[in-house]
Amino acid sequence: MATGKPQPAFVLVRPQMGENIGAAARAMWNFGLDRMRVVAPRDGWPSEKAVAMASGSGRLLDEAQLAPDLPSALEDCTYVMATTARPRDLTKTVFTPERAMQEAQMRIARGEKVAVMFGPERAGLENADIAQANAIISVPVNPEFASLNLAQCVLLCSYEWQRAAGEAEPVVDAMAGTDWATGKEVEHLALHYEDRMDDAGFFYPEHKTESMKLNLRNMWSRMPLTRADVQMLHGMLRQMVRWKDRGD
């Protein structure tokens, strides 16, 4: 079923109902999208209810990637956008769905791997999920009724992707012999800094540790890091630790 056409991956994070996964698959295939990733579905996988709801797009579910957690689902991605209808206390670039899919089109045209995250039906993505994204897609819904069905949100982004396809001019970056860092590489960098800074007593007082780590993760995801950048940042930290251990 895979079209082979360059496109973003749509990542369903902890979806709760098989019917909604199936409806999301149907919405994607309406607009020629077939790269679905499913993170820790509540009712398990595969899902008969998802297949029944998907109708003629059931093969999309057969080819969907299942991931146990969000870092695993994003490890090969270089740019991630998170959908939300609620304001968040995180510093991020915020796109409308239309502008977001234009951005995705431009980045994919120059060889990047883009993902769009959709949260579980009951409450949407958590801040810890959004901290792993580079940008936010804010859906301009009625503020008195901000709840948006999972499949509806997928349909909206799929439609905007089709509108953007072919309209965006590709942009070429001078990469100077490197590539954009993947999600896995940024995750390892974040863990390296958290471990060393924890050893140094940076996370103090203890009750603020989690919020400090969340802000640090959010900072990494906002930075357009290349693999060379990641290697340099690892090396800088290792050298500082060596200098400290010399006792100079």
Side-chain angles (χ1 to χ4, degrees), residues 57-247:
S57 58
R59 285 182 60 194
L60 190 153
L61 296 176
D62 293 338
E63 298 169 3
Q65 295 181 26
L66 180 65
D69 52 44
L70 190 52
S72 299
L74 302 178
E75 66 179 11
D76 65 335
C77 300
T78 60
Y79 195 80
V80 179
M81 293 182 275
T83 59
T84 180
R86 296 185 288 119
R88 305 287 184 155
D89 294 327
L90 293 172
T91 304
K92 296 281 188 188
T93 300
V94 180
F95 295 117
T96 63
E98 179 182 18
R99 181 63 186 85
M101 292 303 99
Q102 292 170 355
E103 182 74 15
Q105 178 71 23
M106 288 189 291
R107 288 180 176 274
I108 290 171
R110 64 194 189 203
E112 292 193 51
K113 291 187 176 182
V114 175
V116 181
M117 297 194 297
F118 302 86
E121 298 89 320
R122 186 174 61 84
L125 293 167
E126 298 176 358
N127 277 4
D129 302 320
I130 296 176
Q132 298 178 61
N134 303 98
I136 285 174
I137 301 174
S138 181
V139 182
V141 295
N142 177 2
E144 296 181 4
F145 188 64
S147 176
L148 191 65
N149 178 272
L150 171 60
Q152 291 173 334
C153 192
V154 170
L155 180 71
L156 177 61
C157 290
S158 299
Y159 168 69
E160 293 294 355
W161 167 259
Q162 187 183 64
R163 290 185 64 208
E167 296 178 0
E169 292 294 330
V171 178
V172 178
D173 287 328
M175 297 299 292
T178 187
D179 295 308
W180 293 110
T182 66
K184 185 175 184 179
E185 289 164 340
V186 176
E187 174 75 7
H188 286 168
L189 179 67
L191 290 172
H192 187 191
Y193 270 75
E194 285 180 14
D195 288 346
R196 298 289 78 78
M197 291 166 70
D198 199 15
D199 292 342
F202 175 79
F203 298 114
Y204 180 85
E206 186 175 350
H207 70 275
K208 291 187 176 181
T209 296
E210 289 307 312
S211 64
M212 293 170 74
K213 288 184 177 181
L214 180 65
N215 287 334
L216 185 60
R217 289 297 183 99
N218 190 47
M219 181 192 74
W220 292 126
S221 68
R222 292 203 318 272
M223 299 171 67
L225 294 169
T226 66
R227 287 180 171 174
D229 295 331
V230 169
Q231 291 169 359
M232 182 180 67
L233 288 165
H234 276 301
M236 289 168 58
L237 186 57
R238 292 190 188 100
Q239 190 61 29
M240 286 189 290
V241 171
R242 292 191 191 104
W243 174 78
K244 172 183 173 297
D245 290 342
R246 287 204 309 266

